[in-house]
Amino acid sequence: MDKFSEFLPPIFGVLFLLIIWFVIRRILASISDKINNAEVYKEDTLKVLEEIRNELKELNRKNSSN
């Protein structure tokens, strides 16, 4: 029993570091996902705006030719 109590502090220390590492990893993964989603949203928005611009150009050509 005495030997077991000698190993408790290092075991708890390693367990604590693993928990901290896991939490920090989850936070960074969440931040990374939000950044990636923002970039995808930005790209999608730009594509939609380009399509709208192209449609407006076509409408303008049709109206100017009439």
Side-chain angles (χ1 to χ4, degrees), residues 15-31:
L15 204 63
F16 178 74
L17 289 175
L18 286 174
I19 291 170
I20 294 295
W21 175 76
F22 181 74
V23 168
I24 290 174
R25 194 175 126 225
R26 293 290 301 231
I27 290 171
L28 291 177
S30 173
I31 292 171

Side-chain angles (χ1 to χ4, degrees), residues 11-64:
I11 290 172
F12 284 129
V14 169
L15 204 63
F16 178 74
L17 289 175
L18 286 174
I19 291 170
I20 294 295
W21 175 76
F22 181 74
V23 168
I24 290 174
R25 194 175 126 225
R26 293 290 301 231
I27 290 171
L28 291 177
S30 173
I31 292 171
S32 176
D33 288 344
K34 288 186 183 204
I35 290 171
N36 289 337
N37 288 341
E39 289 177 3
V40 168
Y41 177 76
K42 180 181 172 184
E43 290 173 6
D44 289 344
T45 304
L46 286 175
K47 286 179 186 176
V48 169
L49 289 173
E50 286 174 1
E51 290 176 12
I52 292 171
R53 182 191 66 193
N54 292 338
E55 289 180 19
L56 287 173
K57 282 183 180 180
E58 287 180 27
L59 286 173
N60 194 19
R61 283 187 202 132
K62 288 179 183 176
N63 285 340
S64 63

